[in-house]
Amino acid sequence: MTRSKLRAVALVGLGMLFGAGLSGYVQSAIAQPGAVAQAPRPAPADYSRYRKLDMFARALTILENHYVRPVDSEKLIYGAIAGLVAELDPHSEFLPPREARLLREDIEGSFGGVGMVVVLRQETEPQARYVLEVREVVAKGPAERAGVAVGDLIPSIEGKPISHFFDLRRAIMAMRGQPGTKVSFVLERPAPKVDGKPGKPSVRTVVVTREYIDSPAVTSRVLGEGLGYVRLRDFSETSGREVSDALATLRDQSRDGLGGVVLDLRDNGGGLLDQAIAVVDLFVNEGPIVRTRGRRGELLDEARAVPGQAWSKLPLVVLVNKSSASASEIVAGALQDHRRALIVGERTYGKGSVQAPFELGDGSLLKLTIALYYTPNDRLIQASGIQPDVLAGADFRPYKDSQPELEPERAQPRHLKPEDFGYPAGALQDDSEAVRAAGEDAQLRVAVQHLRGMVRVPSRGGRRR
């Protein structure tokens, strides 16, 4: 098997960058399958695809000739194709040329934007509305120079409320554009609470000039005591190499050498599958990394580790949260199955499906779900996610949901339910015998989880024999 067969894009969107790549809100993966899945059952003898197409052509002609106002035939056809895939699952979709271009820009990781990561949020107080919440500001980008800060809210873009854009992608399209052009948006900065009540926010209109944003996928820093921290924002075209370079830099910067690393995959919505494989391969010396299975669980592809990696014995902890999706879940699941890392955080999003892009000839794309991802132990990621070894919420309380507004994949009305065909889905919760024995003692439960993690992952790294 060659890795080119498994090259895939997990385009996601729990937070999208206005000029820095992809992060957050899970949306999709693009793959090129290495084999053809089992053929579907033949249609009934009296079925005629061409008869149905004739019906569509008749309906289109009636609309063109009799609707009260002139219609745009291209928009009608685009809408019809979008309706076809809307009956499938949340990640199969039709992208007209402009939206398809946005997807390609996200894959390449460099485009005209303002340089911030946002998520879509619905508010009910003091009034019902949709806003964009700034989760990250790209260093030295236009947004940072304009004074945008994490936690700021954007209620409107170019004079239009966020609800006007229907979804996050359309809001992103309004913010992106040719470098050198300007975009304006209203920025709200929440005020501190007074006597438990929210203060009046400061509101101003910000005008920024779009630039090419080419933010690095990886950031790192020395924590001290021989420990390092690496954050992986998304899986773009050079992420594997950037992680490797970051580890080498941390080793050189650490006085006593690099004794262990925290790999932060929180809010990482995915990216290129081959880069997820490359990241796992840095830490695993042998065995499978990820499997792709099609209809009825048929194996389409399997990626395997290449021996001789420099970091295969480095002690490793991986941080995940609800926004860790797709390629992030592949990495966390592979390292967990190989007992190569301790997984800490929250149960991940559960986006384990593979989408293939089909060009339609005019710049538009049909993105269609063709397969599902499985971990090395054949655990199904789809709608199940990865359960961490140690459950940790957003603060020091025993557990606090980091993003209560975010519904996971399994909550989506049309999500692909885990038909595992004999391959188990991931654990729905940490319900092991030892954890159950801890009862309602939250501190004991956390202690047991840590102890189980220490038993699962040897102190010097490597797979347990």
Side-chain angles (χ1 to χ4, degrees):
M1 191 224 65
T2 62
R3 290 192 180 176
S4 62
K5 292 181 181 179
L6 270 170
R7 181 174 177 81
V9 179
L11 292 185
V12 287
L14 290 175
M16 294 285 251
L17 280 146
F18 286 157
L22 272 176
S23 179
Y25 188 169
V26 179
Q27 289 192 354
S28 75
I30 294 183
Q32 297 172 349
V36 178
Q38 179 178 339
R41 295 178 182 175
D46 61 347
Y47 174 82
S48 170
R49 178 182 293 115
Y50 300 103
R51 185 185 304 166
K52 302 297 183 184
L53 291 176
D54 181 64
M55 187 193 321
F56 171 76
R58 287 172 180 267
L60 180 61
T61 300
I62 292 171
L63 287 172
E64 290 173 332
N65 292 332
H66 299 289
Y67 186 66
V68 67
R69 288 179 180 162
V71 296
D72 185 329
S73 297
E74 184 178 77
K75 286 186 177 180
L76 289 177
I77 293 173
Y78 282 173
I81 299 173
L84 283 175
V85 294
E87 294 298 315
L88 303 176
D89 66 279
H91 307 297
S92 294
E93 59 181 332
F94 169 73
L95 300 177
R98 190 180 177 198
E99 295 186 25
R101 186 172 65 252
L102 175 66
L103 182 147
R104 294 185 184 98
E105 289 173 351
D106 286 327
I107 295 172
E108 294 167 1
S110 179
F111 43 81
V114 301
M116 57 185 173
V117 182
V118 299
V119 294
L120 184 65
R121 196 176 91 183
Q122 184 177 13
E123 292 190 328
T124 56
E125 295 181 356
Q127 61 184 5
R129 63 173 184 167
Y130 285 94
V131 297
L132 300 178
E133 180 184 349
V134 179
R135 289 289 175 86
E136 185 176 343
V137 180
V138 176
K140 301 180 181 179
E144 184 185 66
R145 294 197 299 270
V148 178
V150 173
D152 287 349
L153 304 178
I154 300 174
S156 66
I157 303 170
E158 297 287 2
K160 298 176 181 178
I162 296 303
S163 58
H164 170 86
F165 298 102
F166 303 109
D167 60 23
L168 188 60
R169 178 185 292 143
R170 288 177 173 82
I172 292 169
M173 291 172 64
M175 294 289 277
R176 288 187 185 175
Q178 286 295 322
T181 59
K182 296 183 182 296
V183 61
S184 67
F185 52 92
V186 173
L187 194 72
E188 290 185 9
R189 180 155 299 167
K193 291 185 177 181
V194 179
D195 297 328
K197 298 181 180 179
K200 186 176 180 180
S202 63
V203 182
R204 64 188 177 101
T205 298
V206 177
V207 180
V208 298
T209 301
R210 298 181 178 100
E211 297 178 2
Y212 278 117
I213 307 296
D214 191 8
S215 179
V218 176
T219 56
S220 62
R221 69 177 188 270
V222 173
L223 299 176
E225 301 182 37
L227 303 180
Y229 169 87
V230 176
R231 184 192 173 192
L232 181 55
R233 183 200 305 275
D234 57 61
F235 293 86
S236 56
E237 292 180 331
T238 59
S239 295
R241 176 175 54 79
E242 289 184 51
V243 170
S244 179
D245 291 346
L247 293 170
T249 299
L250 289 173
R251 178 188 58 198
D252 295 341
Q253 292 175 343
S254 301
R255 292 191 300 269
D256 300 320
L258 189 58
V261 162
V262 175
L263 177 62
D264 192 348
L265 298 180
R266 292 174 296 180
D267 299 321
N268 183 326
L272 293 167
L273 175 60
D274 60 357
Q275 294 303 303
I277 294 168
V279 170
V280 174
D281 204 10
L282 292 173
F283 303 105
V284 175
N285 241 341
E286 61 180 351
I289 292 176
V290 62
R291 295 187 179 96
T292 306
R293 295 185 179 274
R295 292 183 178 184
R296 300 191 174 279
E298 177 189 2
L299 181 65
L300 300 180
D301 272 307
E302 179 183 87
R304 300 185 67 85
V306 177
Q309 300 302 322
W311 309 105
S312 62
K313 298 296 182 181
L314 180 70
L316 183 65
V317 172
V318 176
L319 289 178
V320 294
N321 67 0
K322 290 175 69 179
S323 296
S324 302
S326 198
S328 294
E329 295 174 287
I330 289 170
V331 171
L335 294 174
Q336 188 178 55
D337 280 4
H338 280 280
R339 299 186 175 185
R340 183 59 191 83
L342 184 70
I343 312 300
V344 176
E346 300 171 305
R347 183 180 172 186
T348 59
Y349 186 84
K351 199 280 181 182
S353 58
V354 186
Q355 283 74 41
F358 297 88
E359 297 275 359
L360 296 183
D362 64 346
S364 58
L365 275 176
L366 186 63
K367 185 154 61 68
L368 195 65
T369 299
I370 60 162
L372 299 175
Y373 290 130
Y374 290 74
T375 71
N377 287 351
D378 271 327
R379 290 186 295 151
L380 180 62
I381 294 172
Q382 172 61 23
S384 300
I386 300 299
Q387 179 70 27
D389 300 307
V390 177
L391 188 65
D395 60 19
F396 288 104
R397 281 175 263 187
Y399 180 76
K400 181 183 177 184
D401 193 336
S402 66
Q403 297 182 53
E405 76 280 3
L406 172 63
E407 290 189 331
E409 172 83 4
R410 57 192 174 277
Q412 303 297 325
R414 293 180 291 114
H415 79 269
L416 287 171
K417 294 179 174 56
E419 298 179 62
D420 55 36
F421 306 110
Y423 301 100
L428 297 184
Q429 58 184 347
D430 192 344
D431 195 30
S432 69
E433 179 182 359
V435 172
R436 287 199 305 271
E440 299 302 317
D441 187 334
Q443 291 177 326
L444 179 56
R445 288 174 68 90
V446 172
V448 169
Q449 287 177 321
H450 278 278
L451 186 58
R452 288 179 64 235
M454 293 169 63
V455 171
R456 284 177 55 88
V457 183
S459 60
R460 294 300 297 170
R463 188 164 184 173
R464 219 174 129 79
R465 300 290 182 182

